[in-house]
Each structure stands twice: as structure tokens, then as C-alpha cells.
């Protein structure tokens, strides 16, 4: 067991028996053979369930509101198609995202447009389609006014607790914006913010301030009947015990080439309050739910990662394996560009799972490299305990990657093809699959 000495502490993703059954069915090997490279699996039923769980929290608190999927978290069409069918809104930040949402059947009135310094083309289509535009700057507001059409806007608040944020309007700019909205007859529907971090209390505090701002705006004759609290609902990837142990024990010897990471740079892979529970905590803090009801203010939210929780995974094929002192170096048929956490001086920590043909197996520690010529192209820097020494042709499955991991940093570097997305339809009595976007479409 010498190959075990330097393995990093285990960090298994929460068990997912339904997905494990699919992974054990032989389907991933068939897909790997058919597609000839790494691929992503998508589970749209999970997305639907996550959106419904957020809506249930709003209903339970007696708060009128709306869930918008923050599209940047994953580019697949399937999520947007589900949004169109289930009445979930979509949050877009570019002309391409807006086009895609409209093309997948989402109505303009169900789209919120965020992002800084929006391009004129984006603003024009957004106004023509009746989208709700979260205004980030005064000059942007002027460009909307210059279009000379009725436009629906929210004013994005610069978070006072994050004064260095480059997004939103400060207090003085808000005053100016309100007067301009009044004087030009824009449909000023309310205010918005998007906070970094995952603290429910910080969201509740700023939301309460926005409710007060709505009352003030109404005194100017503006509609101001909704606020958007953005996204940032944490995802809980693993349990507290494994997470705390990982943070306590991880050290450079656990990583290939003695690589070191600052624990503060890791995503908080365990969150005691996550997803819809985090929304419940926001609504409960400072009696926010009651304040929204009394003021007649609707609550909009824009979760990205949290709607994709457990809604996908990423499958690589083992292409080579080398034994080094105390651990192995596995090379897979893709690159770390398909696991975007690796590009934020961090590491995607939920452990990959080996799908191996080996019958008899002894655990084996290995890091995972991409099939490129860059030393730094590591899909996993740490030495993970795998269930066996992988063989060429085995598969490595990275769990719960739909939120941001799949495609925010992808590139066909080295002429490696981008991993296709395979949608799993689990509704019937057998699992069926299709490509998310047909390559010829
Ligand atoms: C990125 C972003 C979101 C989504 O954030 P998550 O952390 O994925 O929930 C929502 N709203 C805005 C304005 C964003 O920029």
C-alpha cells in the first residue's frame, strides 16, 4: 500500500444512488466509445426539482417572487428549454445569452438582463423584447432612455458592505437615476444587487435596504414593486466531517509536485445552509418575509450554481498511467479547461470516481493530468485515493460539475475537441440520452 502514503484526505461527494446506477449501467463506456473523448452528462430533472424547491420556499414564506436561472453557470440549451416550459425566468448578461434564451422559447418578459456596461445591441433587443434590465451605471441608463421606447428597469445597488465592487450604483448615482427614471417615464420596477460570498444575513440586510428604497421611489411616482437579490446560494457538495478534515489535514505533500493551495481559495464545498435552505434563511433574517409582504414588494432571485446542484457530472477516459514514488500520474483524454475551478488558483475538490473493469482491486493514489503539453494542465493536483490502479480505457467521473465547471473556461487547445454535453432523460422506465445541441443544428 505504499502508493497510499501520500494520498490527500478523502472528499467524497454526497452519495447519489440514482446517478450511481446510471454510471454503473455501462452507458458511460458506450458514450465514451461513441464520442471518442470526454463528455458531460446533464440531468435536467434535477434542475427542475431545484427550481421547484426554491419556489416552494417562497410559497411557504407567503412571499411573491420569481426564480431566474443565471445562465452563465452552464451554457447547455436543456436548462433554458426547461425554464421556458416551467415558467422559470432566465438571467442573461450578453447578446448571445439573450438570443439563446429567446431561441429556446423563453419570453422576453421572463428574462432579466444583468452584467455591466451592456452593449447597445443587447440593450436594443432587451427593450424590444420587454426584458427587465438591471441598470449598472448612469451612462447605461442614458443609452436605454436614448432608445426612446418603453423600457423596464431595475437599478442595481452597489453593496455598501462591498464598496470595492465594480458593479452597481452608489447612493448619489441612485438619486440621479431615480430622477431620470421619473423624468423620462421609464418603467422603474425596483432595485437589485448581486453579492459575492454566500452569507444569507448579508443578503437579508441589503434586501431590507432595497425594500426601503422601493418605498422612497414610489414617493416619486415610480412603480418600484420588486427587488432582485441576485444569486450566491451555496451548494453543499460534501459532508461537514470530510470537509473539516480536508481543511485541517491537507498539505503540499498531498499534491503532485508539492503544489500548495490556500484553504481560503477553495470553494466552500460544505455549507450547512445551502440552496433553497439559504433562501429560507434570507427570508427569515430580520423578518424580511414580513417586510416584503407589508411593502408589497416581490422577491426576484437569480441562482446559477444552486439550480444545477447534482444536475450533471463530467466523464474522462484514462489514456495513460505512470507510477511515481508513492503515487501515480493518470493522464485523461481531455484537459483541465473542462473543470474550470482549476483556473482560479484552486482545485475542484469533490473526489473523482473510477469506473474500472478491474475485478480485484487495491486502492491507489493518483493525480490526474490533461492530455496536453503543459505542466500546469492538471485536472486534479492532489493525489486522490482511487478504488484501483486505473487501466487505459477506464473512466474517471467528476461529480456535480454542472455549476460552472463544465464550460466557463473551455477551449479547443491542442485541437482537442470540446466535450459534448449529453442529456439524460430519466423520466421513463429506461434512461435515454441525446446530445444537448446537435452538432449539425
Ligand atoms: C453570477 C451571477 C448570478 C449567479 O450566481 P450564483 O453564485 O451562480 O448563484 C446571479 N446574478 C448575477 C447578477 C450574477 O452576476
Amino acid at each position: 500500500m505504499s502508493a497510499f502514503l501520500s494520498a490527500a484526505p478523502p472528499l467524497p461527494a454526497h452519495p447519489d444512488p440514482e446517478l450511481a446506477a446510471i454510471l454503473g449501467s455501462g452507458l458511460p463506456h458506450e458514450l465514451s466509445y461513441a464520442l471518442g473523448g470526454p463528455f458531460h452528462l446533464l440531468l435536467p430533472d434535477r434542475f427542475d426539482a431545484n427550481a421547484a424547491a426554491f419556489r416552494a420556499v417562497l410559497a411557504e414564506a407567503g412571499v411573491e417572487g420569481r426564480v431566474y436561472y443565471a445562465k452563465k453557470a452552464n451554457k447547455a440549451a436543456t436548462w433554458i428549454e426547461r425554464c421556458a416550459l416551467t415558467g422559470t425566468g432566465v438571467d442573461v448578461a450578453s447578446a448571445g445569452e439573450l438570443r439563446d434564451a429567446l431561441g429556446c422559447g423563453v419570453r422576453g418578459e421572463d428574462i432579466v438582463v444583468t452584467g455591466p456596461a451592456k452593449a447597445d445591441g443587447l440593450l436594443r433587443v432587451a427593450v424590444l423584447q420587454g426584458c427587465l434590465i438591471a441598470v449598472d451605471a448612469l451612462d447605461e441608463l442614458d443609452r436605454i432612455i436614448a432608445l426612446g421606447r418603453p423600457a423596464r428597469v431595475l437599478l442595481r445597488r452597489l453593496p455598501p458592505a462591498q464598496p470595492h465592487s465594480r458593479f452597481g450604483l452608489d447612493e448619489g448615482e441612485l438619486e440621479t437615476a431615480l430622477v431620470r427614471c421619473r423624468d423620462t417615464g421609464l418603467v422603474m420596477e425596483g432595485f437589485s444587487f448581486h453579492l459575492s460570498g454566500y452569507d444569507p444575513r448579508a443578503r437579508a440586510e441589503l434586501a431590507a435596504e432595497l425594500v426601503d428604497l422601493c418605498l422612497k421611489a414610489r414617493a416619486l411616482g415610480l412603480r418600484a414593486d420588486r427587488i432582485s437579490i441576485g444569486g450566491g446560494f451555496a451548494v453543499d457538495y460534501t459532508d461537514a466531517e470530510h470537509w473539516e478534515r480536508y481543511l485541517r489535514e491537507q498539505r503540499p505533500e498531498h499534491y503532485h509536485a508539492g503544489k500548495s493551495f490556500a484553504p481560503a481559495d477553495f470553494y466552500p464545498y460544505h455549507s450547512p445552509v445551502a440552496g433553497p435552505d439559504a433562501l429560507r434563511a434570507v427570508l427569515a433574517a430580520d423578518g424580511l418575509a414580513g417586510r416584503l409582504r407589508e411593502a408589497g414588494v416581490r422577491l426576484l432571485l437569480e441562482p446559477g450554481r444552486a439550480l444545477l446542484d447534482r444536475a450533471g457530472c463530467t466523464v474522462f477516459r484514462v489514456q495513460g498511467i505512470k507510477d511515481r514514488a508513492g503515487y501515480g500520474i493518470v493522464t485523461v483524454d481531455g484537459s483541465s479547461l473542462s473543470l474550470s475551478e482549476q483556473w482560479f488558483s484552486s482545485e475542484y475538490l469533490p473526489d473523482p470516481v473510477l469506473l474500472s473493469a478491474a475485478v480485484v482491486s487495491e486502492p491507489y493514489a493518483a493525480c490526474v493530468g490533461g492530455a496536453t503539453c503543459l505542466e500546469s494542465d492538471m485536472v486534479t493536483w492532489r493525489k486522490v485515493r482511487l478504488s484501483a490502479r486505473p487501466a487505459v480505457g477506464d473512466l474517471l467521473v467528476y461529480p456535480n460539475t454542472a455549476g460552472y465547471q463544465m464550460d466557463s473556461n473551455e477551449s479547443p487547445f491542442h485541437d482537442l475537441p470540446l466535450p459534448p454535453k449529453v442529456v439524460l432523460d430519466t423520466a421513463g422506465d429506461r434512461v435515454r440520452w441525446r446530445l444537448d445541441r446537435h452538432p449539425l443544428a
Side-chain angles (χ1 to χ4, degrees), residues 164-177:
H164 300 298
S165 170
R166 65 190 183 94
F167 303 120
L169 302 157
D170 67 22
E171 224 161 292
E173 289 164 335
L174 274 181
E175 297 273 348
T176 309

Side-chain angles (χ1 to χ4, degrees), residues 274-295:
D277 291 334
L279 174 61
R280 190 177 288 110
V282 172
L283 287 168
D286 302 329
L288 179 65
R291 289 175 85 158
L292 289 163
R293 279 195 304 266
E294 281 156 32

